[in-house]
Amino acid sequence: MGFTEILGYSAGVITTLTFLPQVIKTWKERSAKDVSLWMFIIAATNEVMWIGYGILKDDWVIILTNAVVLILSVTMIGLKLKYK
Amino acid sequence: MGFTEILGYSAGVITTLTFLPQVIKTWKERSAKDVSLWMFIIAATNEVMWIGYGILKDDWVIILTNAVVLILSVTMIGLKLKYK
């Protein structure tokens, strides 16, 4: 595996974790007033589209990475609705 | 262009716009207390990795979409530091 592939896979792993700090922060502080609900509604809808694309292309990397982001997005929507 | 390609390109366009509602909300409300700074630092670093990957693969779709997200992420980091 060359540098390009290592960079691509590393970038993919980090992408899946992007929303994690926001979920942890909101979970701990129980406040989400300043967080955009629409950002996570758009993200969740978008992940469903990517998962559909991954299924059609039979690409498990796309399916699994987007499934992780979908779970974090839906969690964040729940936290936002709970803590406003 | 078949359904799969249309779905993929549509998903890509929506991905670039994910952070826009957060930038607009923070810009208007001048408050970012509940927003995770780390989310956008991770996102910005990640976009630089994706742009590097796109350059190495000579893939302009990857370069351009991630450049848009990088601009939105850096804008959001600036807003977060300004409005705390």
Side-chain angles (χ1 to χ4, degrees), chain A residues 1-14:
Chain A
M1 189 157 63
F3 176 73
T4 305
E5 282 66 37
I6 292 170
L7 181 63
Y9 282 111
S10 307
V13 170
I14 294 174

Side-chain angles (χ1 to χ4, degrees), chain A residues 3-31:
Chain A
F3 176 73
T4 305
E5 282 66 37
I6 292 170
L7 181 63
Y9 282 111
S10 307
V13 170
I14 294 174
T15 297
T16 63
L17 300 175
T18 304
F19 288 165
L20 194 59
Q22 183 65 63
V23 169
I24 293 170
K25 180 179 169 72
T26 307
W27 182 271
K28 280 164 71 178
E29 298 182 3
R30 296 169 178 267
S31 174

Side-chain angles (χ1 to χ4, degrees), chain B residues 24-65:
Chain B
I24 293 170
K25 181 180 168 72
T26 307
W27 181 271
K28 281 164 70 179
E29 299 181 2
R30 296 166 178 269
S31 174
K33 181 179 65 64
D34 301 330
V35 176
S36 167
L37 178 62
W38 278 105
M39 172 167 67
F40 291 98
I41 289 174
I42 291 173
T45 309
N46 196 215
E47 300 316 326
V48 172
M49 292 172 75
W50 277 121
I51 291 168
Y53 180 74
I55 290 168
L56 289 170
K57 296 274 277 191
D58 205 19
D59 186 326
W60 279 94
V61 173
I62 291 180
I63 296 168
L64 292 176
T65 54

Side-chain angles (χ1 to χ4, degrees), chain A residues 50-64, chain B residues 4:
Chain A
W50 277 121
I51 290 168
Y53 179 75
I55 291 169
L56 289 170
K57 296 273 275 191
D58 206 19
D59 186 326
W60 279 94
V61 174
I62 291 180
I63 295 169
L64 291 176
Chain B
T4 305

